[in-house]
Amino acid sequence: MTRFLTVFAAMALLAGGAQAAPLANQLFGAETAPSRQNPMPIGSYARGCGAGLVQLPESGPSWQAMRLSRHRNFGQPVMIDYIGDLSRVAQQIGWGGLYVGDISQPRGGPMTSGHASHQIGLDADIWMLPPKRLNLTRAEREKISSIPVRSADQRSVTGNWTPAHRALMKAAASDPRVDRIFVAAAVKIEMCKTATRKDRDWLQKIRPIAGHDTHFHVRLKCPKGASLCQTQTPTVKELSKGGNGCDDTLMWWVTDYLNPPKKGAVPPPDPDTPRKKGPREFTMADLPNQCTAVLSAR
Ligand SMILES: [Zn+2]
């Protein structure tokens, strides 16, 4: 509520010609086309912007972009390639393709709603709903919802979770372009259970997080030579101490996270945990300098 009031107040001030700096969330949210610049992720996943982003075509041979009204089907070229490749894998495992949720705004940057990250064109949400068809109309893409694969008590997967989901997530995580994938803990717990001894290294890249039960969130590494892109630390290797993360830190999500023990007994929270829900407000001064040029490029 406070957030909406603050945004509203900022807009009202602007309309009145007052001196308040416009929020970067509003400025980037208003852009409808990418900047004509060389592709470059600028800053970090949760504080930055994207130069030269590319639009994921609204429909392709093996995907459809959902919620087109949000203008969030833009990403770095490497992300657009990755989605094309993963959607072909999806077809090989028996899905119709992929329904693709938010990537980034046309020029990336902070959003007015929904995500703390997705700011540099290297994050994408993939729906857990297996597509039945790839000719959804714009209106259908606004209306249809994905399906939860996690139970309401957050402890296990539901009947919506299938071996094909597992195969898709394994393929998604095994791609060398991927830095990490966020998904509800119950999903990782299930995949840890069913993974064989010899085939579980890919689980290192799957990171438990709050929410993420109707989609999984793919985060790509900074592309080679992307000098303005900030690599995320700690790495997944560091987070899992070189293992696959099928350990106590994972089980914490279905024990202490859901039923916090008395004070003093709480383990340190997972560094991947978002500090608060939704996006925070940024002014342009909070973002890397180069984002001003991204915003003004025509
Ligand atoms: Zn996401």
Side-chain angles (χ1 to χ4, degrees), residues 115 118 125 212 215 217:
H115 303 278
H118 290 253
D125 291 340
H212 294 73
H215 70 270
H217 172 145

Side-chain angles (χ1 to χ4, degrees), residues 226-281:
S227 55
L228 300 178
C229 181
Q230 201 177 311
T231 294
Q232 186 172 352
T233 53
T235 63
V236 287
K237 198 172 175 186
E238 288 163 349
L239 283 171
S240 61
K241 299 192 168 66
N244 52 37
C246 299
D247 54 23
D248 286 351
T249 61
L250 175 60
M251 296 315 289
W252 175 81
W253 286 92
V254 291
T255 53
D256 291 356
Y257 172 70
L258 297 176
N259 293 311
K262 299 256 181 305
K263 252 193 163 171
V266 185
D270 187 297
D272 285 346
T273 309
R275 264 188 292 281
K276 59 175 188 176
K277 271 195 165 175
R280 55 157 285 197
E281 291 154 13

Side-chain angles (χ1 to χ4, degrees), residues 22 26 34 57 63 65 69 95 97-98 115 150 172 188 191 196 224 227 254 286 294:
Q26 297 293 334
W63 72 84
S69 64
W95 282 25
L98 292 180
H115 303 278
R150 180 190 65 185
K188 174 152 183 173
M191 292 194 292
T196 62
K224 227 178 174 187
S227 55
V254 291
D286 294 321
V294 169

Side-chain angles (χ1 to χ4, degrees), residues 157-292:
V157 292
T158 68
N160 290 336
W161 177 256
T162 64
H165 283 87
R166 183 184 180 285
L168 179 66
M169 287 202 69
K170 182 186 165 187
S174 302
D175 190 299
R177 291 169 287 192
V178 169
D179 179 72
R180 65 197 70 195
I181 292 179
F182 298 109
V183 74
V187 170
K188 174 152 183 173
I189 290 171
E190 180 67 17
M191 292 194 292
C192 288
K193 263 190 222 161
T194 50
T196 62
R197 253 226 188 118
K198 283 188 178 156
D199 185 26
R200 51 199 299 129
D201 288 353
W202 55 276
L203 284 163
Q204 186 180 75
K205 286 191 184 176
I206 309 271
R207 297 295 308 167
I209 200 166
H212 294 73
D213 59 330
T214 61
H215 70 270
F216 62 92
H217 172 145
V218 178
R219 173 165 294 171
L220 300 188
K221 293 172 185 162
C222 289
K224 227 178 174 187
S227 55
L228 300 178
C229 181
Q230 201 177 311
T231 294
Q232 186 172 352
T233 53
T235 63
V236 287
K237 198 172 175 186
E238 288 163 349
L239 283 171
S240 61
K241 299 192 168 66
N244 52 37
C246 299
D247 54 23
D248 286 351
T249 61
L250 175 60
M251 296 315 289
W252 175 81
W253 286 92
V254 291
T255 53
D256 291 356
Y257 172 70
L258 297 176
N259 293 311
K262 299 256 181 305
K263 252 193 163 171
V266 185
D270 187 297
D272 285 346
T273 309
R275 264 188 292 281
K276 59 175 188 176
K277 271 195 165 175
R280 55 157 285 197
E281 291 154 13
F282 291 89
T283 63
M284 289 306 290
D286 294 321
L287 302 178
N289 289 336
Q290 294 88 346
C291 290
T292 304

Side-chain angles (χ1 to χ4, degrees), residues 123-143:
D123 294 283
D125 291 340
I126 307 295
W127 281 25
M128 293 289 192
L129 176 69
K132 282 208 178 71
R133 54 195 181 90
L134 293 176
N135 60 352
L136 299 177
T137 62
R138 291 183 75 90
E140 285 173 320
R141 295 187 223 194
E142 298 296 325
K143 215 172 156 196

